Amino acid sequence: MAPTLYMIPPSPPVRSVLMTAKALGLTLNEKIINFPAGEHLQPEYLKLNPQHTVPTLVDDDGFAVWDSNAINPYLIGKYAKDDSLYPQDLQKRAIVDQRLHFNGSVAFGAVAGIVRCILYEGKTCLDDNDKTRVEQVYAFLEAFLDDGKPWMAGDCLTVADYNLYATVSAGDVLVPIDGQKYPKVATWFDKVGNLPEAEATKKGLAIFESLISSKLQ
Amino acid sequence: MSIKLYYALPSPPCRATLLTIKALQLEVDLVPINLVAQEHLTTDFLKINPFHTLPTIQDEEFYIWDSHAINCYLVDKFGEDDGLYPRDLQRRAVVDQRLHFDSNVLSARFAAIVSPILREGARIIPKDKSDALLQGLTLLESLLEKSYYVTGNTLTIADFSLVATVSSANAVLPLASNRFPNIFEWLARMESLPYYQEANQEGLDAFATMLKSKHLVRQASAVK
């Protein structure tokens, strides 16, 4: 039986799980959560995830975990043929972990904060503060890539690239990446976007883009 | 060459790493960094960590920052067993989720209150920001309903990150024990750890003193 992913297609963290699953050749049973109808606050869902967020993964033995930064390493550990996406080497892994915590707290924090205001608080345009916040994320990522290595955590593609790509692709909708200011980020973004597994994120990203553009003036 | 820890005692994430180091009984060179004197912005420190955050550790030629990444690394490398950070994939995933809950939710919401105070001279704790933190703590309260520690009945590094954050939040807000009885029971359990005084309480006291001197005003909250 395939693991179940509770999700909504446009969510960046959901898209990172879809990308990871595709890279692993893993089929997920996708279940859309109806947020407007309050489905995320129903007792059945709260039992799986008391934080009532998406994505939530329920593995085939009933084990439930949420937060894409925890889900993806779990899926890789369980289903990957090798450890390249989440290295067993402790130093390489520590760098990936640091990038994942950056993704969750700083990068997604910036993007989600703005998106929340647009979707739920009637914000109709981005102000200078918003643009600065997103650009600060790009500046950090440009610095992560400063050593000339091709991927966010070094020489090899890892889950850090997937999770950051999902967040940055949402950021790019809000504040397009300026290739002059952030050339390494722009190159990395195109490279990850052209990976076969990125295909799994495109449908949700298109929904996200139209959601945002329908609210912004 | 032993591990070097670059840290500032009042900083909650530094205290999470100190708790981990003490729990592992690791010999570590402690290198205090004076943030007020901007020692984190010196050329030497920027070479170690261009993002100039604390804690940062140095293990021979390897540098890593972010307390959560550091603590995972330390247990995996130096732990006599995997109790503090289980190798079992499912148990590890739960620890990872709690670590991200600390960085993405509780620490982030706490920093949103404290950063303006420490960096911009703010004196007010805005209602919406304290409500957001209390909402996060309400979730932690429910996670502790049926277990002694934040991931279950075993102490892990998730407890170290969360106790550093929550004890610091309690020093700033402070929290009502009748609203958060599970959190207070868990705090007492953590305080009884033999290394808690040295690894967290001393820095927490310094942090609390620093904030008390600012004479903060908390906007009245409708959330009880």
Side-chain angles (χ1 to χ4, degrees):
Chain A
M1 202 180 90
T4 298
L5 183 71
Y6 292 89
M7 52 92 87
I8 55 169
S11 149
V14 164
R15 289 189 282 110
S16 78
V17 179
L18 297 177
M19 194 164 177
T20 303
K22 185 162 165 71
L24 298 174
L26 178 66
T27 305
L28 296 175
N29 174 21
E30 294 173 21
K31 280 208 167 131
I32 295 186
I33 287 286
N34 188 336
F35 275 87
E39 198 179 344
H40 59 305
L41 298 172
Q42 295 305 309
E44 305 79 45
Y45 193 68
L46 291 175
K47 237 178 18 191
L48 298 173
N49 175 356
Q51 199 173 334
H52 50 81
T53 51
V54 286
T56 301
L57 180 89
V58 182
D59 210 347
D60 54 13
D61 61 355
F63 169 69
V65 62
W66 67 94
D67 195 310
S68 60
N69 299 296
I71 291 173
N72 292 342
Y74 170 76
L75 288 176
I76 293 162
K78 183 160 177 193
Y79 295 103
K81 297 185 180 73
D82 60 50
D83 72 335
S84 61
L85 286 176
Y86 192 48
Q88 294 286 350
D89 175 273
L90 294 183
Q91 293 186 2
K92 290 182 182 166
R93 176 169 284 213
I95 295 171
V96 175
D97 284 342
Q98 182 274 320
R99 303 302 197 243
L100 290 176
H101 280 277
F102 174 84
N103 178 53
S105 59
V106 181
F108 187 65
V111 170
I114 296 166
V115 170
R116 204 170 292 126
C117 290
I118 294 171
L119 294 183
Y120 304 117
E121 291 166 31
K123 185 190 261 289
T124 52
C125 67
L126 267 61
D127 57 36
D128 287 341
N129 230 25
D130 299 325
K131 292 181 184 149
T132 303
R133 237 186 130 186
V134 177
E135 294 226 320
Q136 258 169 13
V137 172
Y138 298 157
F140 277 123
L141 295 177
E142 189 76 10
F144 284 165
L145 295 166
D146 205 38
D147 56 7
K149 302 239 165 107
W151 306 104
M152 278 297 169
D155 290 315
C156 296
L157 176 70
T158 67
V159 64
D161 297 285
Y162 293 166
N163 285 32
L164 282 165
Y165 174 77
T167 304
V168 170
S169 58
D172 183 56
V173 169
L174 303 174
V175 180
I177 299 164
D178 182 336
Q180 306 266 5
K181 277 161 88 169
Y182 312 109
K184 298 192 182 78
V185 175
T187 303
W188 166 83
F189 185 67
D190 286 342
K191 201 162 60 191
V192 182
N194 285 324
L195 293 170
E197 54 267 42
E199 208 44 51
T201 72
K202 300 281 159 89
K203 191 172 105 182
L205 182 60
I207 296 171
F208 178 82
E209 270 175 299
S210 68
L211 254 175
I212 295 296
S213 65
S214 72
K215 301 280 186 186
L216 292 181
Q217 280 166 8
Chain B
M1 187 174 133
S2 63
I3 304 263
K4 268 201 172 82
L5 172 68
Y6 299 89
Y7 78 115
L9 196 59
S11 146
C14 291
R15 292 188 260 119
T17 295
L18 285 170
L19 283 163
T20 304
I21 285 167
K22 291 296 170 197
L24 293 171
Q25 297 184 308
L26 268 183
E27 288 297 323
V28 167
D29 278 340
L30 296 176
V31 183
I33 296 289
N34 187 331
L35 294 170
V36 172
Q38 302 200 325
E39 284 178 1
H40 58 307
L41 299 175
T42 62
T43 319
D44 283 345
F45 191 72
L46 289 172
K47 272 197 213 135
I48 293 168
N49 176 356
F51 300 91
H52 51 81
T53 54
L54 298 177
T56 299
I57 62 157
Q58 178 184 351
D59 182 5
E60 307 216 9
E61 300 306 318
F62 176 64
Y63 299 100
I64 190 71
W65 60 92
D66 188 296
S67 59
H68 311 88
I70 289 172
N71 298 349
C72 295
Y73 174 81
L74 291 176
V75 179
D76 275 346
K77 183 160 181 189
F78 298 106
E80 278 173 15
D81 57 53
D82 69 339
L84 287 173
Y85 190 41
R87 296 225 169 82
D88 172 85
L89 287 180
Q90 291 187 356
R91 291 171 61 207
R92 178 163 282 212
V94 176
V95 178
D96 285 343
Q97 182 277 318
R98 303 295 198 257
L99 290 173
H100 284 283
F101 174 69
D102 180 56
S103 54
N104 310 352
V105 181
L106 288 191
S107 272
R109 293 180 188 186
F110 184 54
I113 293 172
V114 169
S115 275
I117 293 166
L118 294 178
R119 295 193 190 162
E120 297 154 29
R123 291 285 181 269
I124 306 274
I125 299 173
K127 174 181 174 310
D128 59 343
K129 291 188 178 169
S130 57
D131 283 352
L133 180 58
L134 291 172
Q135 192 205 43
L137 290 167
T138 302
L139 175 59
L140 181 62
E141 174 72 12
S142 72
L143 291 174
L144 287 166
E145 180 65 35
K146 294 193 174 98
S147 57
Y148 290 136
Y149 297 103
V150 301
T151 62
N153 290 329
T154 316
L155 180 71
T156 66
I157 48 173
D159 294 282
F160 293 159
S161 286
L162 286 164
V163 80
T165 305
V166 175
S167 62
S168 305
N170 190 33
V172 175
L173 284 189
L175 308 175
S177 58
N178 59 342
R179 184 178 166 184
F180 299 109
N182 297 334
I183 288 181
F184 275 86
E185 264 183 45
W186 166 74
L187 280 173
R189 204 167 287 127
M190 296 300 290
E191 283 162 15
S192 72
L193 291 168
Y195 43 83
Y196 183 88
Q197 174 67 29
E198 188 187 352
N200 192 51
Q201 192 64 49
E202 283 178 18
L204 178 62
D205 291 343
F207 179 79
T209 303
M210 196 167 66
L211 284 159
K212 235 185 194 144
S213 72
K214 312 276 181 190
H215 304 293
L216 303 171
V217 173
R218 187 174 161 188
Q219 273 182 357
S221 170
V223 181
K224 297 264 188 291

